[in-house]
Amino acid sequence: MPDSLARRRFLKTVVAAAAVAVVAFDPTTKAWASHHGPGKVKIPKLDGELLFDAATRTQAADDFGHIISKTPSAVLVPGSVDDIVAIVKFARKFGFAVAGSRGLGESHSTYGQAQLDVGVVIDMRALAEIHEISTHSVLVDAGVRWSEILAVTVPLGKSPPTLTDYIELSVGGTLSMGGIGGQVSRHGLQVDNVLELEVVTGEGKRVKCSPTKRAALFHAVRSGLGQFGIIVRARIRLVDVAPMARVYTATYTDAAVFAADQMALADDQRFDYLEGMAELQPAGAPIYKLEATKYFTPGTPPDDSAMLAGLSFVPGTVVTNDVTYFDFANRIAATVAFLQSVGAWALPHPWIDVFVPGPDAAAFVESRLAEEDASTMGGGPILFYAFRRDKVTTPFLALPDTEHVFLFSLLRFAPPEAVAGLVAQNRAVYDELVPLGGKRYPIGSLDVTQADWQDHFGDAWADFVAAKEEYDPDYVLTPGHGIF
């Protein structure tokens, strides 16, 4: 189906289901009105629709965490980027907030980061065209999901260099945050592989930016947490990729040995993908699992002995599995489908994701895992893997200032009654991490203050504030992070 036709059908379906006749806005009460009158102003003319019904707004008052719920006063289903420009200008003039979302209630943050009270949430699913594929890049709307990019690039032997483990995330969402996955040890995060962006700033300006054109805005918006502009389009780097992937898994029992092997692998880059995880045991210490992958062409498989040489895993624990590249990239789809079928996907997710300095990683993770047990995780995974700091070039992506960095993630599934205690545990994790120079990946469930944000950005805090004043001087965009 042509993208433009799909968009029109999407708009028609959503609007027909939820349209309410609202024609004006009262700047004094910040209320929308179904009639014109004294003190009221006409809403902007739009290609899409503003939706005001309770069901749509309630759906927008949620995210993947299912912990925080803030109800917007309206939802914009944009028919064009011009609609986003119009609503941001309107919001700036009349003093309410705007935030973009992957889809209504679908933001993959876990603590209300893309939510807001009173203002307008933009349903970015309506902007989801793949505009252009070339040898070295793909140009897409922000609402396109990474799985959709792969569906058109993998048959051409191409792929974005770095993919998140879950590829149903939107381009705009991950580029606003960072976008981390097992290829970071080779290519950096997704934000480090963007060639050009088109954004709507907090002033309502539609601007193209790149490393050579309006570079300051380009560097601010990537990992800018939605504070300076709404990403509406992105040109993403593509690399050649082999059609097959050999996945190696191996077990470790010592966190320090596991961390040392990961740092060595991040340095020598023998694998195309490198991740690790910890598994809590009913009795005794955790075990650690290495997951490393080499892409290959059929007929020329990797040399297993060379790939595993020098590693100190427990003998006899190596397992290999060959899959297509796309199936590897989409490897958690079956797990997600199962979790959805049994209702676990809809549970609260009081996650925490942090970046730990390499020299402290093993001891820090061991200490934290001693405070966890399987019941607190609810079956969710614990990620623990290394990458080199110099692979990351995005200015506002806060990381420890060490040669190696580890991602440590507690990706919990929790019953509602356990959430408050787990959010408090997340704070304990963060408080232990900060004195080590650690940072957090801000999708998690954590109560933070402005002082915490200043510590998070460190020397870049003044630049972050200056960028806010330049690109969103009236503080229109994405207040859910609580930065300002």
Side-chain angles (χ1 to χ4, degrees):
M1 181 187 301
D3 289 325
S4 58
L5 178 58
R7 178 182 298 178
R8 288 196 298 272
R9 290 187 179 178
F10 173 80
L11 285 168
K12 183 177 180 181
T13 301
V14 174
V15 171
V20 175
V22 172
V23 297
F25 179 76
D26 188 329
T28 302
T29 62
K30 299 292 190 293
W32 305 89
S34 59
H35 60 280
H36 299 296
K40 296 182 176 63
V41 295
K42 291 183 179 180
I43 63 174
K45 184 178 180 180
L46 301 169
D47 298 317
E49 291 287 338
L50 273 174
L51 305 179
F52 304 90
D53 64 289
T56 300
R57 293 188 297 112
T58 298
Q59 189 180 4
D62 196 11
D63 59 19
F64 185 66
H66 309 306
I67 299 169
I68 301 296
S69 182
K70 298 178 181 179
T71 305
S73 56
V75 171
L76 173 65
V77 182
S80 65
V81 175
D82 290 340
D83 284 358
I84 298 176
V85 171
I87 210 66
V88 170
K89 287 182 176 178
F90 195 78
R92 185 186 183 202
K93 184 174 182 179
F94 296 112
F96 59 87
V98 174
S101 178
R102 180 172 78 111
L104 299 189
E106 292 186 2
S107 171
H108 213 67
S109 295
T110 65
Y111 211 57
Q113 289 91 334
Q115 296 179 31
L116 46 81
D117 289 317
V118 179
V120 174
V121 166
I122 303 172
D123 185 345
M124 298 300 292
R125 291 177 301 171
L127 298 178
E129 290 188 30
I130 297 175
H131 294 277
E132 176 187 313
I133 304 172
S134 67
T135 303
H136 302 295
S137 69
V138 59
L139 180 65
V140 300
D141 285 342
V144 170
R145 304 186 185 214
W146 294 94
S147 62
E148 294 168 335
I149 295 177
L150 289 175
V152 296
T153 63
V154 169
L156 304 175
K158 302 286 184 179
S159 174
T162 296
L163 297 167
T164 50
D165 291 337
Y166 182 51
I167 59 174
E168 298 305 324
L169 305 180
S170 69
V171 168
T174 58
L175 296 185
S176 295
M177 188 68 61
I180 191 167
Q183 300 92 344
V184 65
S185 58
R186 272 185 172 267
H187 299 291
L189 279 76
Q190 289 178 329
V191 285
D192 300 306
N193 292 283
V194 181
L195 304 177
E196 181 182 74
L197 292 171
E198 187 171 340
V199 304
V200 176
T201 70
E203 295 179 298
K205 297 178 180 178
R206 182 176 179 176
V207 184
K208 287 185 179 180
C209 55
S210 71
T212 59
K213 182 179 181 181
R214 298 185 175 92
L217 177 60
F218 180 76
H219 295 314
V221 171
R222 293 176 303 134
S223 294
L225 309 180
Q227 297 304 301
F228 316 114
I230 297 169
I231 297 172
V232 295
R233 193 170 292 179
R235 185 178 295 279
I236 299 159
R237 189 166 73 94
L238 295 177
V239 295
D240 294 331
V241 66
M244 297 296 294
R246 176 161 294 179
V247 184
Y248 300 82
T249 59
T251 299
Y252 291 72
T253 56
D254 186 293
V257 173
F258 183 59
D261 271 6
Q262 287 203 61
M263 288 187 284
L265 291 174
D267 289 344
D268 71 28
Q269 297 187 13
R270 71 180 77 169
F271 289 104
D272 295 303
Y273 163 101
L274 176 67
E275 285 195 8
M277 62 188 65
E279 294 182 359
L280 299 172
Q281 303 302 301
I287 62 172
Y288 304 92
K289 291 288 185 71
L290 179 72
E291 183 182 41
T293 302
K294 184 67 177 178
Y295 310 144
F296 69 97
T297 301
T300 57
D303 180 337
D304 294 345
S305 296
M307 299 307 298
L308 299 171
L311 300 181
S312 300
F313 49 81
V314 176
T317 62
V318 173
V319 175
T320 64
N321 183 36
D322 291 351
V323 295
T324 69
Y325 176 80
F326 183 86
D327 286 344
F328 172 69
N330 197 37
R331 62 197 174 280
I332 70 169
T335 301
V336 171
F338 170 75
L339 292 172
Q340 290 172 334
S341 71
V342 299
W345 196 250
L347 287 173
H349 300 97
W351 287 6
I352 184 166
D353 304 76
V354 295
F355 294 116
V356 187
D360 302 299
F364 179 83
V365 170
E366 281 189 307
S367 171
R368 290 315 313 172
L369 293 184
E371 304 296 324
E372 300 285 336
D373 58 48
S375 65
T376 67
M377 293 304 303
I382 301 171
L383 303 182
F384 174 29
Y385 64 86
F387 59 96
R388 289 187 58 86
R389 175 68 177 81
D390 58 14
K391 292 295 181 181
V392 181
T393 59
T394 301
F396 287 151
L397 193 104
L399 292 173
D401 189 20
T402 54
E403 182 179 9
H404 297 97
V405 175
F406 281 77
L407 176 71
F408 176 56
S409 301
L410 299 170
L411 306 183
R412 303 183 179 102
F413 291 70
E417 63 271 16
V419 167
L422 294 174
V423 171
Q425 283 188 28
N426 289 348
R427 182 71 215 195
V429 173
Y430 184 68
D431 288 341
E432 184 178 335
L433 177 71
V434 169
L436 303 177
K439 303 293 182 180
R440 64 191 183 92
Y441 188 52
I443 67 166
S445 303
L446 184 69
D447 291 308
V448 292
T449 65
Q450 190 175 73
D452 292 326
W453 282 111
Q454 292 183 36
D455 288 341
H456 175 78
F457 287 108
D459 293 341
W461 172 248
D463 293 334
F464 199 87
V465 172
K468 187 70 168 178
E469 293 294 334
E470 180 171 358
Y471 302 117
D472 185 23
D474 296 296
Y475 294 73
V476 171
L477 299 178
T478 318
H481 287 280
I483 301 173
F484 298 102

Coordinates of all heavy atoms in Angstrom, one line a residue, residues 84-124:
I84 N 2.5 19.8 12.9 CA 3.3 19.9 14.1 C 3.8 21.3 14.3 O 3.9 21.8 15.4 CB 4.5 18.8 14.1 CG1 3.9 17.4 14.0 CG2 5.4 19.0 15.2 CD1 4.9 16.3 13.8
V85 N 4.3 21.9 13.2 CA 4.7 23.3 13.3 C 3.6 24.2 13.8 O 3.8 25.0 14.7 CB 5.1 23.8 11.9 CG1 5.4 25.3 11.9 CG2 6.4 23.0 11.4
A86 N 2.4 24.0 13.3 CA 1.3 24.8 13.7 C 0.9 24.7 15.1 O 0.7 25.6 15.9 CB 0.0 24.5 12.8
I87 N 0.9 23.4 15.6 CA 0.5 23.2 17.0 C 1.6 23.7 18.0 O 1.3 24.1 19.1 CB 0.1 21.7 17.3 CG1 -1.0 21.7 18.4 CG2 1.3 20.9 17.6 CD1 -2.3 22.3 18.0
V88 N 2.9 23.5 17.6 CA 3.9 24.0 18.5 C 3.9 25.6 18.6 O 4.0 26.2 19.7 CB 5.3 23.6 18.0 CG1 6.4 24.3 18.8 CG2 5.4 22.1 18.2
K89 N 3.7 26.2 17.4 CA 3.5 27.7 17.5 C 2.3 28.1 18.3 O 2.4 29.1 19.1 CB 3.4 28.2 16.0 CG 4.6 28.2 15.2 CD 4.4 28.8 13.8 CE 5.7 28.9 13.0 NZ 5.5 29.4 11.7
F90 N 1.2 27.4 18.2 CA 0.0 27.7 18.9 C 0.3 27.5 20.4 O -0.1 28.3 21.3 CB -1.1 26.8 18.4 CG -2.5 27.2 18.9 CD1 -3.1 28.3 18.3 CD2 -3.1 26.5 19.9 CE1 -4.4 28.6 18.6 CE2 -4.4 26.9 20.3 CZ -5.1 28.0 19.7
A91 N 0.9 26.4 20.8 CA 1.3 26.1 22.2 C 2.2 27.2 22.7 O 2.0 27.6 23.9 CB 1.9 24.7 22.3
R92 N 3.1 27.6 22.0 CA 4.1 28.6 22.5 C 3.3 29.9 22.7 O 3.6 30.6 23.7 CB 5.2 28.8 21.4 CG 6.2 29.8 21.9 CD 7.3 30.1 20.8 NE 8.3 31.0 21.3 CZ 9.1 31.7 20.6 NH1 8.9 31.7 19.3 NH2 10.0 32.5 21.1
K93 N 2.4 30.3 21.8 CA 1.7 31.6 21.9 C 0.8 31.6 23.1 O 0.6 32.6 23.8 CB 0.9 31.8 20.6 CG 0.2 33.2 20.6 CD -0.4 33.4 19.3 CE -1.1 34.8 19.2 NZ -1.7 35.1 17.9
F94 N 0.2 30.4 23.4 CA -0.9 30.4 24.4 C -0.5 29.6 25.7 O -1.4 29.4 26.5 CB -2.2 29.9 23.8 CG -2.7 30.8 22.7 CD1 -2.7 30.4 21.4 CD2 -3.2 32.1 23.0 CE1 -3.2 31.3 20.4 CE2 -3.6 33.0 22.1 CZ -3.7 32.5 20.7
G95 N 0.7 29.2 25.8 CA 1.2 28.7 27.1 C 0.9 27.3 27.5 O 0.5 27.1 28.7
F96 N 0.9 26.4 26.6 CA 0.8 25.0 27.0 C 1.9 24.1 26.4 O 2.6 24.6 25.6 CB -0.6 24.4 26.7 CG -1.0 24.4 25.3 CD1 -0.7 23.3 24.4 CD2 -1.7 25.5 24.7 CE1 -1.0 23.3 23.1 CE2 -2.1 25.5 23.4 CZ -1.8 24.4 22.6
A97 N 2.0 22.9 26.9 CA 3.1 22.1 26.5 C 2.7 21.1 25.4 O 1.6 20.8 25.2 CB 3.6 21.3 27.7
V98 N 3.8 20.6 24.7 CA 3.6 19.6 23.6 C 4.7 18.5 23.8 O 5.8 18.8 24.2 CB 3.8 20.3 22.2 CG1 3.8 19.3 21.1 CG2 2.7 21.3 22.0
A99 N 4.3 17.3 23.5 CA 5.2 16.2 23.5 C 4.9 15.2 22.4 O 3.7 14.9 22.2 CB 5.2 15.5 24.9
G100 N 5.9 14.6 21.8 CA 5.7 13.6 20.8 C 5.7 12.2 21.4 O 6.4 12.0 22.4
S101 N 5.0 11.3 20.8 CA 4.9 9.9 21.4 C 5.0 8.9 20.2 O 4.4 9.2 19.1 CB 3.6 9.7 22.1 OG 3.5 8.4 22.6
R102 N 5.6 7.8 20.5 CA 5.7 6.7 19.5 C 4.3 6.3 19.0 O 4.1 5.9 17.8 CB 6.4 5.5 20.1 CG 6.6 4.4 19.2 CD 7.5 3.3 19.8 NE 6.8 2.5 20.8 CZ 6.6 1.2 20.6 NH1 6.9 0.6 19.6 NH2 6.0 0.6 21.6
G103 N 3.3 6.4 19.8 CA 1.9 6.0 19.5 C 1.2 6.2 20.8 O 1.8 6.3 21.9
L104 N -0.1 6.3 20.8 CA -0.8 6.6 22.0 C -0.6 5.5 23.1 O -0.9 4.3 22.9 CB -2.3 6.7 21.7 CG -2.7 7.8 20.7 CD1 -4.2 8.0 20.7 CD2 -2.0 9.1 21.1
G105 N 0.0 5.9 24.2 CA 0.3 4.9 25.3 C 1.4 4.0 25.0 O 1.7 3.1 25.7
E106 N 2.2 4.2 23.8 CA 3.2 3.3 23.4 C 4.6 3.8 23.7 O 5.6 3.1 23.3 CB 3.1 3.0 21.9 CG 1.8 2.2 21.5 CD 1.8 1.9 20.1 OE1 2.8 2.2 19.4 OE2 0.8 1.2 19.6
S107 N 4.8 5.0 24.2 CA 6.1 5.4 24.5 C 6.9 4.4 25.3 O 6.4 3.8 26.3 CB 6.1 6.7 25.3 OG 7.4 7.1 25.7
H108 N 8.1 4.1 24.9 CA 8.8 3.0 25.6 C 9.6 3.5 26.8 O 10.3 2.7 27.4 CB 9.8 2.3 24.6 CG 10.0 0.8 24.8 ND1 8.9 -0.1 24.6 CD2 11.0 0.1 25.3 CE1 9.4 -1.3 25.0 NE2 10.6 -1.2 25.3
S109 N 9.5 4.7 27.2 CA 10.0 5.2 28.5 C 9.0 4.6 29.5 O 7.9 4.2 29.2 CB 10.0 6.7 28.5 OG 10.9 7.2 27.6
T110 N 9.5 4.6 30.8 CA 8.7 3.9 31.8 C 8.2 4.7 33.0 O 7.6 4.2 33.9 CB 9.6 2.8 32.4 OG1 10.7 3.3 33.1 CG2 10.1 1.8 31.3
Y111 N 8.4 6.1 32.9 CA 8.1 6.9 34.0 C 7.5 8.2 33.6 O 7.9 9.3 34.2 CB 9.3 7.1 34.9 CG 9.0 7.2 36.4 CD1 8.3 6.2 37.1 CD2 9.4 8.3 37.2 CE1 8.0 6.3 38.4 CE2 9.2 8.4 38.5 CZ 8.5 7.4 39.2 OH 8.2 7.5 40.5
G112 N 6.7 8.2 32.6 CA 6.0 9.4 32.2 C 6.8 10.4 31.4 O 6.4 11.6 31.3
Q113 N 8.0 10.0 30.9 CA 8.9 11.0 30.2 C 8.2 11.7 29.0 O 8.5 12.8 28.7 CB 10.2 10.3 29.8 CG 11.1 9.9 30.9 CD 10.9 8.5 31.5 OE1 9.8 8.0 31.4 NE2 11.9 7.9 32.1
A114 N 7.3 11.0 28.3 CA 6.7 11.5 27.1 C 5.2 12.0 27.4 O 4.5 12.2 26.5 CB 6.7 10.6 26.0
Q115 N 4.8 12.0 28.7 CA 3.5 12.4 29.0 C 3.5 13.9 29.5 O 4.5 14.5 29.8 CB 3.0 11.5 30.2 CG 2.8 10.1 29.8 CD 2.3 9.2 31.0 OE1 1.6 9.7 31.8 NE2 2.8 8.0 31.0
L116 N 2.2 14.4 29.6 CA 2.1 15.8 30.1 C 0.6 16.0 30.5 O -0.3 15.3 30.0 CB 2.5 16.8 29.1 CG 2.0 16.7 27.6 CD1 0.6 17.2 27.4 CD2 3.0 17.5 26.7
D117 N 0.4 16.9 31.5 CA -0.9 17.3 31.8 C -1.3 18.5 31.0 O -0.4 19.3 30.7 CB -0.9 17.7 33.3 CG -0.8 16.5 34.2 OD1 -1.5 15.5 33.9 OD2 -0.1 16.6 35.2
V118 N -2.5 18.6 30.6 CA -3.1 19.8 30.0 C -2.8 19.9 28.5 O -3.6 20.2 27.7 CB -2.7 21.1 30.8 CG1 -3.3 22.3 30.1 CG2 -3.2 21.0 32.2
G119 N -1.5 19.7 28.1 CA -1.1 20.1 26.8 C -1.5 19.0 25.7 O -2.4 18.3 25.9
V120 N -0.7 19.0 24.6 CA -1.0 18.2 23.5 C 0.0 17.1 23.3 O 1.2 17.5 23.2 CB -1.2 19.1 22.2 CG1 -1.4 18.2 21.0 CG2 -2.3 20.0 22.3
V121 N -0.4 15.9 23.2 CA 0.5 14.8 22.8 C 0.4 14.5 21.3 O -0.8 14.5 20.8 CB 0.2 13.5 23.6 CG1 0.9 12.3 23.0 CG2 0.6 13.6 25.0
I122 N 1.5 14.4 20.6 CA 1.5 14.1 19.2 C 1.7 12.6 18.9 O 2.6 12.1 19.4 CB 2.6 14.9 18.5 CG1 2.4 16.4 18.7 CG2 2.5 14.7 17.0 CD1 3.6 17.2 18.2
D123 N 0.7 12.0 18.2 CA 0.8 10.6 17.9 C 1.6 10.5 16.6 O 1.1 10.7 15.5 CB -0.6 10.1 17.6 CG -0.7 8.6 17.4 OD1 0.4 8.0 17.1 OD2 -1.7 8.0 17.5
M124 N 2.9 10.2 16.8 CA 3.8 10.2 15.6 C 3.7 9.0 14.7 O 4.3 9.0 13.6 CB 5.3 10.2 16.2 CG 5.6 11.4 17.0 SD 5.5 13.0 16.1 CE 6.8 12.8 14.9

